[in-house]
Each structure stands twice: as structure tokens, then as C-alpha cells.
Amino acid sequence: MKTRNIFIVFFGLTTLFMTECKYGPAQVNKAIPDAFKQNKRLGRGGNLGNILYEFETWDKEREMKELDLIKGIGLQGVRVNTGPFSHVSDKPPYTLSEAFFERLDWIIDQALSLSLTVIIDNHEYHAMADDPMGNHEMFLSTWKQMAEHYKDYPDN
């Protein structure tokens, strides 16, 4: 299991460096937040697990209760696990569905309204571990679309 975890971290870092080299520096309209300050702001957090994999199991009322619980016990942030590969067109440019963004928007807006810091997690580690090169373009495309979609959201 340790070897698989090391591979996943290595692949993630390699992808990051390859992307930076291939596409050049990111164009950012606002100042990049200080990572140490962001980490401090995150503090302790909770997890909304697997809510954007299969839409049939998604329940707004349950998710709102989870967010209220996270806030109620004094946590400062929430990680939202997404499964974007289930919600893309099957050919490049792997466009994410409107329904995916509608649900993710709802969750993020609810969390922000509770003053929680939000981490969007592209939780496709199984697909990436099973076929990293075959899923490379889809992985980059889904991250690019989410980054573009949320670029004007607050930095928390």
C-alpha cells in the first residue's frame, strides 16, 4: 500500500510540473494567497465524502445537516470530494456537465454561507492510479474547468 501512495504523490507532483512546463505560468487575476496563511485558516476540518460521484444518491437535506454539524462542532473547513470523471463528455475536451457544477456550486455556496473554508478535491485517485497516462488529459481538463469556474470565488 505504501508503494501505491508514493506513486500517487509522485504522479501528482509530476503532473503539476509537466503542466507548468507545458502551459507556462498560470495567469492569475488576483494575488495568490499565502499557503501558510491558507493552511492556518483551514484549521481543523470535516469531509463531505463522495457526494458528487453518483447523482442518484445525492441529498441536499443530508448535505446541509452535515455542513451544520461540521460548523456546529467548531470545525473551520470542509473538503468536498468530487468524482468529476463520471460527469464529463466521453471525448476531449472532457466537458463537465452543468448538473455537476450546479451541485458543486450549491455545496460550496452553503459552506461559504456558514463561513467555512472549502477544499475542492478531485477525488479520482482510483482512476488515476489504475491508468495515469490514459486519464492524464481528462484529469487536467476537469481541474482546468473547475479552476476557471471558481476563479472569481473568494480565496476561502
Side-chain angles (χ1 to χ4, degrees), residues 48-113:
L48 292 177
N50 307 329
I51 58 173
L52 289 171
Y53 278 90
E54 298 300 327
F55 282 179
E56 295 79 32
T57 61
W58 193 64
D59 179 350
K60 279 185 179 180
E61 185 176 323
R62 184 187 75 213
E63 299 307 334
M64 197 64 226
K65 285 180 183 177
E66 292 292 321
L67 287 170
D68 287 336
L69 177 64
I70 288 167
K71 180 68 176 180
I73 62 174
L75 301 179
Q76 294 92 7
V78 62
R79 180 177 76 150
V80 180
N81 295 343
T82 68
F85 288 8
S86 300
H87 307 287
V88 296
S89 57
D90 47 345
K91 292 190 167 113
Y94 304 111
T95 304
L96 283 162
S97 71
E98 286 183 34
F100 176 84
F101 279 117
E102 287 172 9
R103 292 184 183 196
L104 188 52
D105 289 350
W106 183 87
I107 291 162
I108 292 171
D109 291 342
Q110 298 306 311
L112 292 175
S113 75

Side-chain angles (χ1 to χ4, degrees), residues 87-154:
H87 307 287
V88 296
S89 57
D90 47 345
K91 292 190 167 113
Y94 304 111
T95 304
L96 283 162
S97 71
E98 286 183 34
F100 176 84
F101 279 117
E102 287 172 9
R103 292 184 183 196
L104 188 52
D105 289 350
W106 183 87
I107 291 162
I108 292 171
D109 291 342
Q110 298 306 311
L112 292 175
S113 75
L114 294 171
S115 300
L116 293 168
T117 301
V118 178
I119 298 170
I120 301 172
D121 175 14
N122 188 332
H123 207 68
E124 293 290 0
Y125 63 93
H126 285 297
M128 293 309 296
D130 292 344
D131 187 7
M133 296 315 295
N135 290 313
H136 178 89
E137 291 300 320
M138 189 183 310
F139 179 78
L140 295 178
S141 176
T142 55
W143 266 128
K144 183 177 180 182
Q145 291 171 70
M146 286 188 277
E148 180 66 27
H149 187 84
Y150 294 108
K151 71 180 179 185
D152 295 325
Y153 268 61

